[in-house]
Every structure is written in structure tokens, then in C-alpha cells.
């Protein structure tokens, strides 16, 4: 388990509302941050996450290091590669945003790629609104896990990753001294092979069970709606954004009417097919869950922005609903990207955590 350290800045779970200017930069105020979360990174959930076979032989290298290190800022360049057996991604040095997140397709009994290199995200970029990271890069590596972090004036960023074929494999965390949220923009990868083009979809297996009670350990939980991402190449490739103390922005330019189990009562899902944008509280996190864990029904993790411990994660046996393959065109979210907002246009946050 990657060790979490005490937060560098004092934080609060109540922050100011956000709007956005013409560039998408977060400004203004946001009310109480909604918790719309799956389990935290590395939480114990479905069988894939619990099986050590999914991480067999995994381990990361960064800038030639395979052990704990402190790397001077002068040695970082503008970007650097984090390379694992099962996952790889490039990191922007000044922001710790990431680009070109790829599952390598390395052989593994729990592989979800179909054995081919599979692009997942073109980028996951935070908008630090003029702040930048200037310190040395701290690197902590333990077996299949890595944690890297940098600080700057009034700003701290951390990335945690686990080199596994499936499960909770990636997480980004931001802290600001002013306590305001940070806008994260996730853009799914397209790739040269059209069948590997990743897309967001409304999961029909969840939609058809929405509102049902299903067992979780000695309690029951209600099946929610679920947005996942997948592709047209592998029937096992599925993932989802996993927010912790973060709220997805509803996209007024990406309005989808999704059929529900209730005749004449479609659901309106304001989510684009290749982009999602999140207002992340200071101390909050954006995770990435792949495979079976991405299509399980479990209670949310508890709200936590400082000194988070194991009790803030979800553990135990959950109900796995899976996903249809191929995904029906009617359930694929459209358009792929939001239209450019007019100058000064306000952004809203999603009332339905999808």
C-alpha cells in the first residue's frame, strides 16, 4: 500500500463555487463539494483487484530510477516517462499533469487489452491557474507501486500508480494553500487503430438495474447509473473515472437522452464522449479504475481530504454487473468533445454523479 503523508497545507471539505472563463480556467465560487466516488486507489474490491496475479512482475522506472530518489528540478526537463511492465505514461514536469497513458498489453492472466498496447487517456491535465511546481521531484517506489510528488509556491501535486493489468491503478492529488478547487480535464485517447479509440458510455447493465438493491457484505446498496469508458477491440477493456471529493462538470453541449427501465422517462446525461472535466477539492483526488472493479456496485469511500487512512477506503465483496460488448450506439455519449464556451460563460456541475 502506498503510504499517505500528512497534507502540506491545511484543507477543508467546503470550498468556493467555480465558473469558467473562455479558456476553461476555473474561477469564482463552488458550494459544498459533492462526493461521487468509487473506492480509493488500491482499495480492495472485486476479484481482479485482490488477485496479486494481476501485478505479477510489475514495477516502475522513472528517469532511470527503480528505487526511492530525490531528483533535482534541473534534471527533469519539460516532461519525463514513467515506465512499467503493464502501464506507462508521460508527466509534465511543471504541473504533474499526464499524457499518453497506455496499457502495454504485456501478458498477464488478468489482461483486459487483448494482448495489444492500448491507449487509454491522451491527457489528464490540472489547471493550476498560474501556479507551478518548482521543487525537486520526490520518488517513492515499493514493489509494483510508485508515488511521485512536487511542490511550488502555494501548490502541491502527487501522483500514485500501481503497475498492474487491472484494478485501481492510478490516482492524482492536488492541494492549494488557498483551499480552492482545481479543474482537471480528462481526454480519452484515440489511437491509430479505430477499434482502440476509447469512448465514454452509459453502462446499460447498470441502467437496467438502476434503483435495485444488491448485497454488499452484510448490507445492501442501491444500484446507481454508471458511466464507464471502453473501446471496440477488447470485450474485457473497461474503466471509469474514480473521484474522491470532486464533482464532474455537467456539459451543456453534450446532452444525451438515455433510455431507462421506466417507459417514457429517459435520463438526461450531460457528459461528452471523449472528455470529462472535474472540479477537485484541495486535498481531493482523481483516480482511474480498470477492469472488473470499474463495473462493481459498492458503497462510496468516505469523504477525506487530509491524513486519509484505510478506513476511508471501501473493502469487501461487491456485486459486479459488467458491461455490454459491443456497446450500443445509443448508449455511447455524444459529441466527443464539448463546444468551446462563449467568453464568460458559466459552467455547471453535474447533479447526477455519472
Amino acid at each position: 500500500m502506498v503510504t499517505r503523508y500528512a497534507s502540506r497545507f491545511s484543507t477543508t471539505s467546503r470550498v468556493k463555487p467555480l465558473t469558467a472563463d473562455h479558456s476553461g480556467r476555473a474561477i469564482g465560487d463552488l458550494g459544498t463539494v459533492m462526493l461521487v466516488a468509487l473506492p480509493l486507489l488500491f482499495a480492495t474490491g472485486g476479484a481482479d483487484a485482490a488477485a496479486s496475479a494481476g501485478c505479477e512482475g510489475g514495477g516502475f522506472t522513472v528517469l532511470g530510477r527503480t528505487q526511492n530518489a530525490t531528483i533535482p528540478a534541473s534534471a527533469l526537463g519539460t516532461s519525463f516517462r514513467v515506465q512499467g511492465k503493464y502501464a506507462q505514461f508521460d508527466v509534465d514536469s511543471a504541473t504533474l499533469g499526464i499524457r499518453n497513458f497506455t496499457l502495454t498489453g504485456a501478458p498477464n492472466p488478468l489482461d483486459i487489452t487483448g494482448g495489444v498496447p492500448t491507449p487509454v487517456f491522451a491527457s489528464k491535465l490540472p489547471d493550476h491557474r498560474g501556479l507551478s511546481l518548482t521543487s525537486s521531484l520526490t520518488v517513492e517506489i515499493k514493489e509494483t507501486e510508485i508515488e511521485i510528488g512536487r511542490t511550488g509556491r502555494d501548490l502541491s501535486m502527487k501522483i500514485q500508480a500501481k503497475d498492474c493489468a487491472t484494478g485501481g491503478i492510478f490516482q492524482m492529488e492536488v492541494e492549494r494553500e488557498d483551499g480552492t478547487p482545481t479543474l482537471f480535464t480528462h481526454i480519452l485517447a484515440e489511437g491509430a487503430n479505430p477499434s482502440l479509440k476509447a469512448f465514454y458510455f452509459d453502462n446499460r447493465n447498470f441502467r437496467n438495474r438502476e434503483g435495485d438493491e444488491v448485497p454488499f457484505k452484510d448490507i445492501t446498496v442501491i444500484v446507481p447509473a454508471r458511466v464507464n469508458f471502453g473501446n471496440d477491440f477488447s470485450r474485457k477493456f473497461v474503466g471509469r473515472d474514480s473521484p474522491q471529493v470532486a464533482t464532474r462538470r455537467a456539459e451543456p453541449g453534450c446532452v444525451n437522452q438515455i433510455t431507462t427501465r421506466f417507459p417514457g422517462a429517459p435520463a438526461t446525461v450531460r457528459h461528452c464522449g471523449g472528455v470529462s472535466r472535474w472540479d477537485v477539492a484541495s486535498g481531493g483526488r482523481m483516480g482511474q479504475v480498470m477492469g472488473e472493479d470499474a463495473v462493481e456496485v459498492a458503497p462510496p469511500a468516505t469523504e477525506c481530504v487530509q491524513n486519509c487512512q484505510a478506513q476511508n477506503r471501501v473493502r469487501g465483496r461487491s456485486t459486479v454487473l459488467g458491461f455490454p460488448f459491443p456497446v450500443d450506439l445509443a448508449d455511447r455519449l455524444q459529441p466527443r468533445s464539448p463546444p468551446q464556451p462563449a467568453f464568460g460563460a458559466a459552467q455547471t456541475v453535474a447533479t447526477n454523479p455519472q
Side-chain angles (χ1 to χ4, degrees):
M1 189 73 65
V2 172
T3 303
R4 288 187 48 82
Y5 295 93
S7 299
R8 181 171 178 264
F9 306 124
S10 61
T11 57
T12 174
S13 61
R14 184 171 180 83
V15 290
K16 296 182 177 181
L18 286 175
T19 56
D21 64 13
H22 66 287
S23 66
R25 184 181 62 190
I27 57 176
D29 282 343
L30 174 74
T32 303
V33 171
M34 295 169 57
L35 176 64
V36 284
L38 271 185
L40 280 174
L41 183 68
F42 314 148
T44 303
D48 283 3
S52 60
C55 310
E56 184 177 0
F60 287 107
T61 299
V62 56
L63 293 169
R65 277 75 165 181
T66 58
Q67 297 179 336
N68 295 354
T70 299
I71 303 174
S74 59
L76 296 178
T78 57
S79 66
F80 56 90
R81 167 67 58 89
V82 176
Q83 181 67 56
K85 178 179 180 180
Y86 301 108
Q88 64 186 39
F89 52 92
D90 298 321
V91 182
D92 290 348
S93 299
T95 67
L96 288 199
I98 67 108
R99 302 178 191 272
N100 306 316
F101 189 100
T102 301
L103 295 179
T104 66
N108 186 281
L110 298 180
D111 172 64
I112 63 173
T113 68
V116 301
T118 300
V120 184
F121 281 95
S123 61
K124 296 184 179 187
L125 302 179
D127 180 0
H128 293 313
R129 310 196 305 278
L131 301 181
S132 61
L133 303 167
T134 56
S135 73
S136 299
L137 181 76
T138 60
V139 179
E140 296 185 25
I141 298 176
K142 182 179 180 181
E143 299 176 346
T144 63
E145 300 170 14
I146 189 171
E147 177 177 305
I148 61 176
R150 292 191 82 187
T151 61
R153 182 177 180 180
D154 302 333
L155 178 67
S156 175
M157 273 286 294
K158 181 192 302 182
I159 291 174
Q160 294 171 296
K162 193 168 185 177
D163 190 25
C164 300
T166 187
I169 61 173
F170 185 84
Q171 179 172 282
M172 304 173 75
E173 178 178 340
V174 62
E175 291 188 62
R176 293 178 60 95
E177 191 170 61
D178 62 14
T180 60
T182 298
L183 172 63
F184 281 56
T185 300
H186 293 183
I187 301 178
L188 290 174
E190 299 202 16
N193 183 342
S195 66
L196 290 174
K197 182 178 182 178
F199 56 85
Y200 285 110
F201 65 94
D202 193 277
N203 191 328
R204 179 54 48 189
N205 290 11
F206 279 73
R207 187 65 74 177
N208 288 346
R209 296 285 304 276
E210 187 177 10
D212 287 353
E213 290 189 14
V214 296
F216 178 82
K217 298 180 70 174
D218 57 350
I219 63 172
T220 60
V221 292
I222 303 299
V223 177
R226 172 68 53 85
V227 167
N228 288 109
F229 54 82
N231 63 30
D232 287 318
F233 182 82
S234 172
R235 64 177 56 253
K236 294 183 178 180
F237 178 81
V238 67
R240 74 162 296 184
D241 295 318
S242 178
Q244 177 80 3
V245 200
T247 305
R248 186 182 62 79
R249 292 190 177 189
E251 298 291 351
C254 299
V255 179
N256 297 266
Q257 297 297 317
I258 302 296
T259 302
T260 70
R261 63 195 294 186
F262 308 106
T268 300
V269 180
R270 293 177 172 85
H271 194 309
C272 300
V275 177
S276 65
R277 298 191 288 184
W278 302 83
D279 294 314
V280 183
S282 182
R285 291 163 290 282
M286 283 304 304
Q288 176 182 329
V289 182
M290 304 299 299
E292 186 177 273
D293 288 6
V295 288
E296 68 176 6
V297 184
T302 58
E303 186 167 337
C304 175
V305 294
Q306 190 172 14
N307 301 328
C308 302
Q309 303 296 328
Q311 61 264 31
N312 301 113
R313 302 179 176 92
V314 174
R315 300 182 183 277
R317 184 177 299 277
S318 59
T319 298
V320 177
L321 294 185
F323 69 105
F325 183 87
V327 176
D328 192 89
L329 291 178
D331 292 329
R332 301 185 186 208
L333 302 178
Q334 302 291 339
R336 187 163 180 87
S337 301
Q340 286 294 107
F343 180 79
Q347 293 289 308
T348 59
V349 296
T351 56
N352 189 345
Q354 301 183 61

